[in-house]
Amino acid sequence: MTHGIPDPGAAPGSAQHSAPIFRAPSGRTTPFRATTGQRLHRAAAIGATLTLALSLAACSSDADSGGGRPVAAAPPATSPTPTADPDRYRGALTAALGPLNNALRTVDDARDGKPLNTALDVAATKADAAADALDTAETPDDAMTGNGQLAASLRALGQDLRSARGDGSRCATSPRVELRSAESPENAEEAARALTALGYDARLRLPRTEEARHRRLANGAFVRDGSRGGLGRLTVKNGTSSDAVVTLTRSGRTAFSVYVRKSSEATVRSVNSGSYTVYFTTGEDWNGGKRSFTRECSFEKFDDQANFRTIRVAGGTQYTVLTFSLNKVAGGNASTSQVPPGDFPS
């Protein structure tokens, strides 16, 4: 039977296994335990790891000295794209805005009517061209936002310049008044100021504008007065919210026109006998030169003729007295029709 030597590290009373005893040359016995083999195995693994690390270090050393496998070099760092040249951009601004400013100067100097309409068309074309040039200009980083805003506002300015053109008809608002209410001139000026503050001269000569006017005549004033010598009498009541001008024609010719303010009435005396067509126009801002309102216009006529008669009777003379209300009233018996502005008598 094989005998064993107790393991000094074992807990008292714990089960122990016997290990074989080998005889040393000196005659002493040396125990050999199974756990010793496990420790040797781990040590071998550690040794393998160290060997691998040394091998890698050796490869790197060889590569540095020209031997072994080549090591791939890191890609070179890319430099940022250089910004556009500021002086070149300043030149592009001058080339784009110069022709536009010249055209806008012509708008300021043009007379109302056809000369002004022609100047507005030319300026609109120049505004479009300037916007296109700015869209394609090489722009420095600090001017990118302002350049885009200026280009967009100039394109809108071109549209507003075309829309402001007068058509020469009655009730035509002045182009300068139309431009006053447009947003594009103010937006273009704001964008131009921002670029100029950055050192890029983008000054604009914006077109001259005018505020809306509110011209009126006195109530009962004659816009046009022909020969009156009869006994007829006409009273006009204007209960609308706008001033009005009432015109009576006979045989296609204007007999007289009278101005009647809103919420007022006016009386014309000495109306000659005859049959008259009664026209009336309402609106705001009376343009005496064109004999028309410039805003919120309407043009109408009464469908029935106004007949004035003077008759001599025993003991005196009978004459016609008529009253017209421009607004609808209860019990009214006069109908009206719209009239094309070009057909309205001046």
Side-chain angles (χ1 to χ4, degrees), residues 204-274:
L204 284 172
R205 182 189 177 91
L206 292 171
R208 175 170 58 89
T209 62
E210 296 176 357
E211 292 187 3
R213 304 175 67 180
H214 301 276
R215 293 167 288 184
R216 306 172 76 189
L217 297 182
N219 187 61
F222 282 99
V223 175
R224 186 171 180 177
D225 192 13
S227 175
R228 289 179 296 110
L231 298 177
R233 189 168 65 199
L234 171 67
T235 297
V236 178
K237 296 182 177 181
N238 181 10
T240 71
S241 59
S242 302
D243 289 359
V245 170
V246 178
T247 300
L248 269 65
T249 65
R250 185 174 62 174
S251 301
R253 301 181 65 180
T254 298
F256 60 86
S257 297
V258 62
Y259 196 97
V260 187
R261 289 193 171 191
K262 62 183 179 180
S263 303
S264 302
E265 66 178 56
T267 299
V268 180
R269 302 179 185 276
S270 304
V271 179
N272 293 328
S273 297

Side-chain angles (χ1 to χ4, degrees), residues 322-337:
L322 295 178
T323 299
F324 284 86
S325 295
L326 303 184
N327 53 296
K328 294 182 179 180
V329 295
N333 58 1
S335 61
T336 62
S337 301

Side-chain angles (χ1 to χ4, degrees), residues 131-200:
D132 291 341
L134 293 181
D135 281 339
T136 58
E138 295 184 5
T139 308
D141 292 343
D142 60 345
M144 290 293 291
T145 300
N147 184 80
Q149 292 174 345
L150 182 57
S153 59
L154 289 181
R155 189 161 282 110
L157 177 62
Q159 296 175 353
D160 287 337
L161 290 170
R162 291 187 180 90
S163 299
R165 296 176 75 261
D167 58 8
S169 64
R170 289 177 177 269
C171 198
T173 303
S174 168
R176 304 190 195 280
V177 174
E178 291 283 1
L179 287 174
R180 182 82 173 190
S181 60
E183 295 182 358
S184 61
E186 183 178 352
N187 293 339
E189 186 175 33
E190 182 178 351
R193 282 199 303 264
L195 285 173
T196 302
L198 293 173
Y200 307 107

Side-chain angles (χ1 to χ4, degrees), residues 56-118:
L56 291 175
C59 289
S60 299
S61 176
D62 292 342
D64 293 340
S65 62
R69 298 176 61 186
V71 179
T78 57
S79 59
T81 303
T83 185
D85 179 48
D87 287 337
R88 186 172 181 179
Y89 176 65
R90 292 186 183 96
L93 274 176
T94 301
L97 300 182
L100 173 59
N101 282 328
N102 291 336
L104 293 176
R105 185 177 294 107
T106 302
V107 171
D108 282 352
D109 298 337
R111 300 190 312 274
D112 288 347
K114 186 176 181 180
L116 179 55
N117 286 343
T118 300

